Amino acid sequence: MWPRIAFPLLTLIIIFASITMALSIECQQRPENVNPRALRRDGLIPATLYGHNGAESISLVVDHKTAVTMLRSVTVKETPIEVKIPHLAWEGEAVVQEIQCHPWRRNLYHLAFFAGKK
């Protein structure tokens, strides 16, 4: 026989398993003529957004802590992410196209996003 408390816990686990979290990240436009190493020292990761307007791309920066947290729950080329660029007033869905990091230290170097349809 199951104890009386097991059924509510089982129901609670099923409810939490069915909830999907929407991922979103806020980016800023990368300043021109700034060395990527200097950005990384300041806690920012260089990133690029492709496919938002044909063959054009936007150079961005993302906060390191935010990027690492987001990447824990992302599958490359599969998981849709809501990307917001307030400076350019652009917002849309994208997937992480490429992650560049150090081979054994796992320091994050660069992210590439590919925009889907708005």
Side-chain angles (χ1 to χ4, degrees):
M1 287 192 52
W2 288 81
R4 293 183 120 196
I5 197 159
F7 289 113
L9 288 177
L10 184 61
T11 307
L12 187 65
I13 291 171
I14 292 171
I15 290 171
F16 281 129
S18 65
I19 296 174
T20 58
M21 292 177 45
L23 296 172
S24 67
I25 191 162
E26 189 168 312
C27 305
Q28 300 296 327
Q29 191 169 13
R30 186 182 340 177
E32 292 186 26
N33 301 326
V34 176
N35 189 347
R37 286 184 183 177
L39 290 172
R40 290 186 203 104
R41 275 193 303 266
D42 293 338
L44 300 172
I45 302 298
T48 307
L49 176 68
Y50 297 103
H52 69 288
N53 191 12
E56 294 180 23
S57 65
I58 300 175
S59 297
L60 306 168
V61 291
V62 181
D63 181 53
H64 182 270
K65 190 173 183 179
T66 307
V68 170
T69 305
M70 178 205 57
L71 290 175
R72 287 185 184 143
S73 55
V74 168
T75 304
V76 176
K77 297 183 182 179
E78 289 183 15
T79 309
I81 302 165
E82 185 69 28
V83 178
K84 299 175 186 173
I85 308 169
H87 181 69
L88 299 176
W90 189 88
E91 184 175 327
E93 257 189 20
V95 293
V96 176
Q97 186 74 16
E98 181 181 23
I99 303 169
Q100 294 177 7
C101 59
H102 193 276
W104 62 84
R105 288 189 215 158
R106 294 298 189 208
N107 294 342
L108 194 56
Y109 285 158
H110 188 268
L111 293 173
F113 296 103
F114 189 79
K117 295 180 182 177
K118 278 189 173 181

